[in-house]
Coordinates of all heavy atoms in Angstrom, one line a residue:
L16 N 176.3 130.4 36.2 CA 177.6 130.7 36.7 C 177.8 130.1 38.1 O 178.9 129.6 38.4 CB 177.9 132.2 36.6 CG 179.2 132.7 37.0 CD1 180.3 132.1 36.1 CD2 179.3 134.2 37.1
K17 N 176.8 130.3 39.0 CA 177.0 129.8 40.3 C 177.1 128.2 40.3 O 177.9 127.7 41.1 CB 175.7 130.2 41.1 CG 175.8 129.8 42.6 CD 174.6 130.3 43.3 CE 174.6 129.9 44.8 NZ 173.5 130.3 45.6
K18 N 176.3 127.6 39.5 CA 176.4 126.2 39.4 C 177.7 125.7 38.9 O 178.3 124.7 39.4 CB 175.3 125.6 38.4 CG 175.1 124.1 38.3 CD 174.0 123.8 37.5 CE 173.8 122.2 37.5 NZ 172.7 121.8 36.6
V19 N 178.3 126.4 37.9 CA 179.6 126.1 37.4 C 180.7 126.3 38.4 O 181.6 125.4 38.6 CB 179.9 126.9 36.1 CG1 181.4 126.8 35.7 CG2 179.0 126.6 35.0
K20 N 180.6 127.4 39.2 CA 181.6 127.6 40.3 C 181.4 126.5 41.4 O 182.5 126.1 41.9 CB 181.3 129.0 40.9 CG 181.7 130.2 40.0 CD 181.4 131.5 40.7 CE 181.9 132.7 39.8 NZ 181.6 134.0 40.5
T21 N 180.2 126.1 41.7 CA 180.0 125.1 42.7 C 180.7 123.8 42.2 O 181.3 123.1 43.0 CB 178.5 124.8 42.9 OG1 177.9 126.1 43.4 CG2 178.3 123.8 44.0
R22 N 180.5 123.4 40.9 CA 181.1 122.2 40.4 C 182.6 122.3 40.5 O 183.3 121.3 40.7 CB 180.6 122.0 39.0 CG 179.2 121.5 38.9 CD 178.7 121.2 37.5 NE 177.4 120.6 37.4 CZ 176.8 120.3 36.3 NH1 177.5 120.5 35.1 NH2 175.6 119.8 36.3
C23 N 183.2 123.5 40.1 CA 184.6 123.6 40.1 C 185.2 123.5 41.5 O 186.4 123.3 41.7 CB 185.0 125.0 39.5 SG 184.7 125.0 37.7
R24 N 184.3 123.7 42.6 CA 184.8 123.6 43.9 C 184.7 122.1 44.4 O 185.2 121.8 45.5 CB 184.1 124.5 44.9 CG 184.4 126.0 44.7 CD 183.9 126.8 45.9 NE 182.4 126.9 45.8 CZ 181.8 128.0 45.3 NH1 182.5 128.9 44.8 NH2 180.5 128.0 45.3
T25 N 184.2 121.2 43.7 CA 184.1 119.8 44.1 C 185.5 119.2 44.1 O 186.4 119.6 43.3 CB 183.1 119.1 43.2 OG1 183.6 119.0 41.9 CG2 181.7 119.6 43.3
I26 N 185.6 118.1 44.8 CA 186.9 117.3 44.8 C 187.3 116.8 43.5 O 188.4 116.9 43.1 CB 186.8 116.2 45.8 CG1 186.7 116.7 47.3 CG2 187.9 115.3 45.7 CD1 186.5 115.7 48.3
Y27 N 186.2 116.4 42.7 CA 186.5 115.8 41.4 C 187.2 116.9 40.5 O 188.3 116.6 39.9 CB 185.2 115.4 40.7 CG 185.3 115.0 39.3 CD1 185.8 113.7 38.9 CD2 185.0 115.9 38.3 CE1 185.9 113.3 37.6 CE2 185.2 115.5 36.9 CZ 185.6 114.3 36.6 OH 185.7 113.9 35.3
W28 N 186.6 118.1 40.4 CA 187.2 119.1 39.6 C 188.4 119.6 40.1 O 189.4 120.0 39.3 CB 186.1 120.2 39.3 CG 185.1 119.7 38.3 CD1 183.8 119.5 38.6 CD2 185.2 119.6 36.9 NE1 183.1 119.1 37.4 CE2 184.0 119.2 36.4 CE3 186.3 119.7 36.1 CZ2 183.8 118.9 35.0 CZ3 186.1 119.5 34.7 CH2 184.9 119.1 34.3
Q29 N 188.6 119.8 41.4 CA 189.8 120.3 42.0 C 191.0 119.3 41.7 O 192.1 119.8 41.3 CB 189.7 120.5 43.5 CG 188.8 121.7 43.8 CD 188.6 121.9 45.3 OE1 189.1 121.0 46.1 NE2 188.0 122.9 45.8
N30 N 190.8 118.1 41.9 CA 191.8 117.1 41.6 C 192.2 117.1 40.1 O 193.3 117.0 39.7 CB 191.4 115.7 42.1 CG 191.5 115.6 43.5 OD1 192.0 116.5 44.3 ND2 190.9 114.5 44.1
F31 N 191.1 117.1 39.3 CA 191.3 117.1 37.9 C 192.1 118.3 37.3 O 193.1 118.1 36.6 CB 190.0 117.0 37.1 CG 190.1 116.9 35.6 CD1 190.4 115.8 35.0 CD2 189.9 118.1 34.9 CE1 190.5 115.7 33.6 CE2 190.0 118.0 33.5 CZ 190.3 116.9 32.8
L32 N 191.6 119.5 37.8 CA 192.3 120.7 37.3 C 193.8 120.8 37.9 O 194.7 121.2 37.2 CB 191.5 122.0 37.8 CG 190.1 122.1 37.1 CD1 189.4 123.2 37.7 CD2 190.3 122.3 35.6
L33 N 194.0 120.4 39.1 CA 195.3 120.4 39.7 C 196.2 119.4 38.9 O 197.3 119.8 38.6 CB 195.3 120.0 41.1 CG 196.6 119.9 41.9 CD1 197.3 121.3 41.9 CD2 196.4 119.4 43.3
T34 N 195.8 118.2 38.6 CA 196.6 117.3 37.9 C 196.9 117.8 36.5 O 198.0 117.7 36.0 CB 195.9 115.9 37.8 OG1 195.6 115.4 39.2 CG2 196.7 114.9 37.1
A35 N 195.8 118.3 35.8 CA 196.0 118.8 34.5 C 197.0 119.9 34.5 O 197.9 120.0 33.6 CB 194.7 119.2 33.9
S36 N 196.9 120.8 35.5 CA 197.9 122.0 35.5 C 199.3 121.5 35.7 O 200.2 122.0 35.1 CB 197.4 122.9 36.6 OG 196.1 123.4 36.4
V37 N 199.5 120.6 36.7 CA 200.8 120.1 37.0 C 201.4 119.4 35.7 O 202.5 119.6 35.4 CB 200.8 119.1 38.2 CG1 202.1 118.4 38.3 CG2 200.5 119.9 39.4
V38 N 200.5 118.6 35.0 CA 201.1 117.8 33.8 C 201.4 118.9 32.7 O 202.5 118.7 32.1 CB 200.0 116.9 33.3 CG1 200.4 116.3 32.0 CG2 199.9 115.7 34.3
M39 N 200.6 119.8 32.5 CA 200.8 120.8 31.5 C 202.0 121.6 31.8 O 202.9 122.0 30.9 CB 199.6 121.7 31.2 CG 198.4 120.9 30.7 SD 197.0 122.0 30.4 CE 197.6 123.0 29.1
L40 N 202.2 122.0 33.0 CA 203.4 122.8 33.4 C 204.7 122.0 33.3 O 205.7 122.5 32.8 CB 203.2 123.3 34.9 CG 204.5 124.1 35.4 CD1 204.6 125.4 34.6 CD2 204.2 124.4 36.9
T41 N 204.6 120.7 33.7 CA 205.7 119.8 33.5 C 206.1 119.6 32.0 O 207.3 119.7 31.7 CB 205.4 118.4 34.2 OG1 205.1 118.6 35.5 CG2 206.7 117.5 34.1
L42 N 205.1 119.4 31.3 CA 205.4 119.3 29.8 C 206.0 120.6 29.2 O 206.9 120.5 28.3 CB 204.1 118.8 29.0 CG 203.6 117.4 29.3 CD1 202.3 117.2 28.6 CD2 204.6 116.4 28.8
A43 N 205.5 121.7 29.6 CA 206.0 123.0 29.1 C 207.5 123.2 29.5 O 208.3 123.5 28.7 CB 205.2 124.2 29.6
L44 N 207.8 122.9 30.8 CA 209.2 123.0 31.2 C 210.1 122.0 30.5 O 211.2 122.3 30.0 CB 209.3 122.8 32.7 CG 208.6 123.9 33.6 CD1 208.7 123.5 35.0 CD2 209.2 125.2 33.3
L45 N 209.6 120.7 30.4 CA 210.4 119.7 29.7 C 210.5 120.0 28.2 O 211.6 119.9 27.6 CB 209.8 118.4 29.9 CG 209.9 117.7 31.2 CD1 209.1 116.4 31.2 CD2 211.3 117.5 31.6
G46 N 209.5 120.6 27.7 CA 209.5 120.9 26.2 C 210.5 122.0 25.9 O 211.3 122.0 25.0
S47 N 210.5 123.1 26.8 CA 211.4 124.2 26.6 C 212.9 123.7 26.7 O 213.7 124.0 25.9 CB 211.2 125.2 27.7 OG 209.9 125.7 27.6
A48 N 213.1 122.8 27.7 CA 214.5 122.3 27.8 C 214.8 121.4 26.7 O 216.0 121.4 26.2 CB 214.6 121.5 29.2
F49 N 213.8 120.6 26.3 CA 214.1 119.6 25.2 C 214.4 120.4 23.9 O 215.3 120.1 23.1 CB 212.9 118.8 25.0 CG 213.0 117.8 23.9 CD1 213.7 116.6 24.0 CD2 212.3 118.0 22.7 CE1 213.8 115.7 23.0 CE2 212.4 117.1 21.7 CZ 213.2 115.9 21.8
F50 N 213.6 121.5 23.6 CA 213.8 122.3 22.4 C 215.2 122.9 22.4 O 215.9 122.9 21.4 CB 212.7 123.3 22.3 CG 211.3 122.8 22.1 CD1 210.2 123.5 22.4 CD2 211.1 121.5 21.6 CE1 208.9 123.0 22.2 CE2 209.9 121.0 21.4 CZ 208.8 121.7 21.7
A51 N 215.5 123.5 23.5 CA 216.8 124.2 23.6 C 218.0 123.2 23.4 O 219.0 123.4 22.6 CB 217.0 124.9 25.0
L52 N 217.9 122.0 24.0 CA 219.0 121.0 23.9 C 219.1 120.4 22.5 O 220.2 120.3 22.0 CB 218.8 119.9 25.0 CG 219.0 120.3 26.4 CD1 218.6 119.1 27.4 CD2 220.4 120.7 26.6
T53 N 217.9 120.1 22.0 CA 217.9 119.5 20.6 C 218.4 120.5 19.5 O 219.1 120.1 18.6 CB 216.6 118.9 20.2 OG1 215.6 120.0 20.4 CG2 216.2 117.8 21.2
Y54 N 218.0 121.7 19.7 CA 218.4 122.7 18.7 C 219.9 123.0 18.8 O 220.6 123.1 17.8 CB 217.6 124.1 18.9 CG 217.9 125.1 17.9 CD1 217.4 125.0 16.6 CD2 218.8 126.2 18.2 CE1 217.6 125.9 15.6 CE2 219.1 127.1 17.2 CZ 218.5 127.0 15.9 OH 218.8 127.9 14.9
S55 N 220.4 123.1 20.1 CA 221.8 123.3 20.2 C 222.6 122.1 19.7 O 223.7 122.2 19.1 CB 222.1 123.5 21.8 OG 223.5 123.6 22.0
Y56 N 222.0 120.9 20.0 CA 222.7 119.6 19.5 C 222.7 119.6 18.0 O 223.8 119.3 17.3 CB 222.0 118.4 20.0 CG 222.5 117.1 19.5 CD1 223.6 116.5 19.9 CD2 221.7 116.5 18.4 CE1 224.1 115.4 19.3 CE2 222.2 115.3 17.9 CZ 223.4 114.8 18.3 OH 223.8 113.6 17.8
A57 N 221.6 120.0 17.3 CA 221.6 120.0 15.9 C 222.6 121.0 15.3 O 223.2 120.8 14.3 CB 220.1 120.3 15.4
I58 N 222.6 122.3 15.9 CA 223.5 123.3 15.4 C 224.9 122.8 15.6 O 225.8 123.0 14.7 CB 223.3 124.6 16.2 CG1 221.9 125.2 15.8 CG2 224.4 125.6 15.9 CD1 221.8 125.6 14.4
D59 N 225.3 122.3 16.8 CA 226.7 121.8 17.0 C 227.1 120.8 16.1 O 228.2 120.8 15.5 CB 226.8 121.4 18.5 CG 226.7 122.6 19.4 OD1 226.8 123.7 19.0 OD2 226.4 122.3 20.6
E60 N 226.2 119.8 15.9 CA 226.6 118.7 15.0 C 226.7 119.1 13.6 O 227.7 118.7 12.9 CB 225.5 117.6 15.1 CG 225.8 116.4 14.3 CD 224.7 115.3 14.3 OE1 223.6 115.6 14.8 OE2 225.0 114.2 13.9
R61 N 225.8 120.0 13.1 CA 225.9 120.5 11.8 C 227.2 121.4 11.5 O 227.9 121.3 10.5 CB 224.7 121.3 11.4 CG 224.6 121.7 10.0 CD 224.3 120.5 9.1 NE 224.0 120.8 7.7 CZ 223.8 119.9 6.8 NH1 224.0 118.7 7.0 NH2 223.5 120.4 5.5
S62 N 227.4 122.2 12.6 CA 228.6 123.0 12.5 C 229.9 122.2 12.5 O 230.8 122.5 11.7 CB 228.6 124.0 13.7 OG 229.8 124.8 13.7
E63 N 229.9 121.2 13.3 CA 231.2 120.4 13.3 C 231.4 119.6 12.0 O 232.5 119.5 11.5 CB 231.0 119.3 14.5 CG 232.2 118.5 14.6 CD 232.1 117.5 15.8 OE1 231.0 117.6 16.5 OE2 232.9 116.6 15.9
Q64 N 230.2 119.2 11.4 CA 230.4 118.5 10.1 C 230.8 119.4 9.0 O 231.7 119.1 8.2 CB 229.0 117.9 9.8 CG 229.0 117.0 8.5 CD 227.6 116.5 8.2 OE1 226.6 117.1 8.6 NE2 227.5 115.4 7.4
M65 N 230.2 120.6 9.0 CA 230.6 121.6 8.0 C 232.1 122.1 8.2 O 232.8 122.3 7.3 CB 229.6 122.8 8.0 CG 228.3 122.4 7.5 SD 227.1 123.8 7.7 CE 227.8 125.0 6.7
Q66 N 232.4 122.3 9.5 CA 233.8 122.7 9.8 C 234.8 121.7 9.3 O 235.9 122.0 8.7 CB 233.9 122.8 11.3 CG 235.2 123.5 11.8 CD 235.2 125.0 11.7 OE1 234.1 125.5 11.8 NE2 236.3 125.6 11.6
S67 N 234.5 120.3 9.5 CA 235.4 119.3 9.1 C 235.6 119.3 7.5 O 236.7 119.2 7.1 CB 234.9 118.0 9.6 OG 235.7 116.9 9.1
K68 N 234.5 119.4 6.8 CA 234.5 119.4 5.4 C 235.3 120.6 4.8 O 236.0 120.6 3.9 CB 233.2 119.2 4.8 CG 232.5 117.9 5.2 CD 233.3 116.7 4.9 CE 232.6 115.4 5.3 NZ 233.4 114.2 5.1
A69 N 235.0 121.8 5.4 CA 235.6 123.0 5.0 C 237.1 122.9 5.2 O 237.9 123.4 4.4 CB 235.0 124.2 5.8
T70 N 237.5 122.3 6.3 CA 239.0 122.1 6.6 C 239.6 121.3 5.5 O 240.7 121.5 5.0 CB 239.2 121.5 7.9 OG1 238.6 122.4 9.0 CG2 240.7 121.3 8.3
V71 N 238.8 120.2 5.1 CA 239.4 119.3 4.1 C 239.6 120.1 2.7 O 240.6 120.1 2.0 CB 238.5 118.1 3.8 CG1 238.9 117.3 2.7 CG2 238.5 117.2 5.1
V72 N 238.5 120.9 2.4 CA 238.6 121.7 1.2 C 239.7 122.7 1.3 O 240.4 123.0 0.3 CB 237.3 122.4 0.9 CG1 237.3 123.4 -0.3 CG2 236.2 121.3 0.7
S73 N 239.9 123.3 2.5 CA 241.0 124.3 2.6 C 242.3 123.6 2.4 O 243.2 124.2 1.8 CB 240.9 124.8 4.1 OG 242.0 125.6 4.4

Side-chain angles (χ1 to χ4, degrees):
L16 181 60
K17 184 178 180 180
K18 187 175 181 180
V19 171
K20 289 182 177 179
T21 302
R22 286 184 176 178
C23 290
R24 284 195 290 264
T25 62
I26 291 179
Y27 172 82
W28 283 107
Q29 287 180 356
N30 287 350
F31 179 79
L32 293 176
L33 177 62
T34 303
S36 300
V37 170
V38 170
M39 294 182 68
L40 179 61
T41 302
L42 289 175
L44 294 176
L45 288 176
S47 300
F49 179 79
F50 295 157
L52 289 175
T53 54
Y54 185 76
S55 176
Y56 172 78
I58 293 293
D59 291 343
E60 183 181 12
R61 189 66 170 177
S62 176
E63 182 179 352
Q64 185 183 21
M65 293 172 63
Q66 188 85 25
S67 175
K68 300 304 180 183
T70 301
V71 172
V72 173
S73 172

